[in-house]
mmCIF file of all heavy atoms in Angstrom:
data_model
loop_
_atom_site.group_PDB
_atom_site.id
_atom_site.type_symbol
_atom_site.label_atom_id
_atom_site.label_comp_id
_atom_site.label_asym_id
_atom_site.label_seq_id
_atom_site.Cartn_x
_atom_site.Cartn_y
_atom_site.Cartn_z
ATOM 1 N N ASP G 21 13.749 41.988 -0.534
ATOM 2 C CA ASP G 21 13.108 42.340 0.733
ATOM 3 C C ASP G 21 11.656 42.744 0.502
ATOM 4 O O ASP G 21 11.302 43.316 -0.540
ATOM 5 C CB ASP G 21 13.871 43.487 1.389
ATOM 6 C CG ASP G 21 15.276 43.085 1.804
ATOM 7 O OD1 ASP G 21 15.482 41.885 2.047
ATOM 8 O OD2 ASP G 21 16.158 43.968 1.855
ATOM 9 N N VAL G 60 -3.653 20.261 2.528
ATOM 10 C CA VAL G 60 -3.636 19.541 1.264
ATOM 11 C C VAL G 60 -4.687 20.159 0.339
ATOM 12 O O VAL G 60 -5.799 20.505 0.771
ATOM 13 C CB VAL G 60 -3.898 18.041 1.487
ATOM 14 C CG1 VAL G 60 -5.203 17.808 2.227
ATOM 15 C CG2 VAL G 60 -3.914 17.290 0.156
ATOM 16 N N LEU G 95 -10.658 11.132 1.225
ATOM 17 C CA LEU G 95 -10.614 12.574 1.517
ATOM 18 C C LEU G 95 -11.926 13.259 1.146
ATOM 19 O O LEU G 95 -12.291 14.273 1.736
ATOM 20 C CB LEU G 95 -9.453 13.223 0.746
ATOM 21 C CG LEU G 95 -8.046 12.793 1.169
ATOM 22 C CD1 LEU G 95 -7.016 13.437 0.261
ATOM 23 C CD2 LEU G 95 -7.791 13.180 2.627
ATOM 24 N N LEU G 98 -14.057 12.936 4.208
ATOM 25 C CA LEU G 98 -13.557 13.818 5.266
ATOM 26 C C LEU G 98 -13.864 15.290 4.935
ATOM 27 O O LEU G 98 -14.201 16.070 5.826
ATOM 28 C CB LEU G 98 -12.050 13.623 5.433
ATOM 29 C CG LEU G 98 -11.602 12.264 5.976
ATOM 30 C CD1 LEU G 98 -10.083 12.190 6.023
ATOM 31 C CD2 LEU G 98 -12.179 12.019 7.362
ATOM 32 N N MET G 119 -3.920 40.071 4.549
ATOM 33 C CA MET G 119 -4.008 40.049 6.009
ATOM 34 C C MET G 119 -5.331 40.644 6.480
ATOM 35 O O MET G 119 -5.954 40.151 7.429
ATOM 36 C CB MET G 119 -2.828 40.839 6.597
ATOM 37 C CG MET G 119 -2.716 40.743 8.104
ATOM 38 S SD MET G 119 -2.349 39.059 8.628
ATOM 39 C CE MET G 119 -2.441 39.237 10.408
ATOM 40 N N ALA G 155 3.245 40.253 7.160
ATOM 41 C CA ALA G 155 2.432 41.459 7.380
ATOM 42 C C ALA G 155 3.022 42.340 8.469
ATOM 43 O O ALA G 155 3.054 43.573 8.340
ATOM 44 C CB ALA G 155 0.999 41.054 7.724
ATOM 45 N N SER G 170 6.362 61.944 9.039
ATOM 46 C CA SER G 170 5.880 62.891 10.056
ATOM 47 C C SER G 170 6.992 63.841 10.472
ATOM 48 O O SER G 170 6.756 65.038 10.690
ATOM 49 C CB SER G 170 5.352 62.131 11.274
ATOM 50 O OG SER G 170 6.389 61.410 11.916
ATOM 51 N N SER G 209 -3.603 114.936 -5.949
ATOM 52 C CA SER G 209 -4.588 115.193 -7.005
ATOM 53 C C SER G 209 -5.328 116.503 -6.758
ATOM 54 O O SER G 209 -5.518 117.315 -7.674
ATOM 55 C CB SER G 209 -5.576 114.031 -7.078
ATOM 56 O OG SER G 209 -6.554 114.258 -8.061
ATOM 57 N N ASP G 214 -5.930 122.394 -7.904
ATOM 58 C CA ASP G 214 -5.941 123.785 -7.405
ATOM 59 C C ASP G 214 -4.895 124.638 -8.114
ATOM 60 O O ASP G 214 -5.150 125.804 -8.468
ATOM 61 C CB ASP G 214 -5.685 123.793 -5.895
ATOM 62 C CG ASP G 214 -6.841 123.174 -5.122
ATOM 63 O OD1 ASP G 214 -7.957 123.093 -5.685
ATOM 64 O OD2 ASP G 214 -6.623 122.754 -3.965
ATOM 65 N N ASN G 234 5.695 132.498 -21.664
ATOM 66 C CA ASN G 234 5.297 131.764 -22.867
ATOM 67 C C ASN G 234 6.357 130.753 -23.278
ATOM 68 O O ASN G 234 6.056 129.627 -23.692
ATOM 69 C CB ASN G 234 5.045 132.744 -24.010
ATOM 70 C CG ASN G 234 3.784 133.578 -23.765
ATOM 71 O OD1 ASN G 234 2.864 133.134 -23.073
ATOM 72 N ND2 ASN G 234 3.752 134.784 -24.339
ATOM 73 N N LYS G 309 -15.786 83.669 -12.798
ATOM 74 C CA LYS G 309 -16.216 83.396 -11.420
ATOM 75 C C LYS G 309 -17.738 83.442 -11.343
ATOM 76 O O LYS G 309 -18.354 84.462 -11.640
ATOM 77 C CB LYS G 309 -15.622 84.434 -10.460
ATOM 78 C CG LYS G 309 -14.098 84.479 -10.456
ATOM 79 C CD LYS G 309 -13.590 85.604 -9.578
ATOM 80 C CE LYS G 309 -12.078 85.734 -9.643
ATOM 81 N NZ LYS G 309 -11.590 86.897 -8.839
ATOM 82 N N CYS G 386 -16.383 74.358 -7.229
ATOM 83 C CA CYS G 386 -16.062 73.641 -8.461
ATOM 84 C C CYS G 386 -15.070 74.460 -9.283
ATOM 85 O O CYS G 386 -15.316 75.639 -9.558
ATOM 86 C CB CYS G 386 -17.313 73.366 -9.286
ATOM 87 S SG CYS G 386 -18.426 72.142 -8.558
ATOM 88 N N ILE G 441 -12.981 67.765 -23.456
ATOM 89 C CA ILE G 441 -14.031 68.565 -22.811
ATOM 90 C C ILE G 441 -13.467 69.320 -21.616
ATOM 91 O O ILE G 441 -13.717 70.511 -21.428
ATOM 92 C CB ILE G 441 -15.227 67.684 -22.390
ATOM 93 C CG1 ILE G 441 -15.902 67.100 -23.630
ATOM 94 C CG2 ILE G 441 -16.222 68.491 -21.555
ATOM 95 C CD1 ILE G 441 -17.083 66.203 -23.325
ATOM 96 N N LEU G 451 -20.983 72.340 6.318
ATOM 97 C CA LEU G 451 -21.449 73.504 7.070
ATOM 98 C C LEU G 451 -21.990 73.015 8.414
ATOM 99 O O LEU G 451 -22.887 72.168 8.465
ATOM 100 C CB LEU G 451 -22.560 74.235 6.309
ATOM 101 C CG LEU G 451 -22.124 75.170 5.195
ATOM 102 C CD1 LEU G 451 -23.333 75.759 4.494
ATOM 103 C CD2 LEU G 451 -21.247 76.289 5.732
#
Side-chain angles (χ1 to χ4, degrees):
D21 294 334
V60 56
L95 294 176
L98 293 177
M119 187 65 185
S170 64
S209 179
D214 292 340
N234 290 333
K309 301 175 184 177
C386 290
I441 295 179
L451 280 177

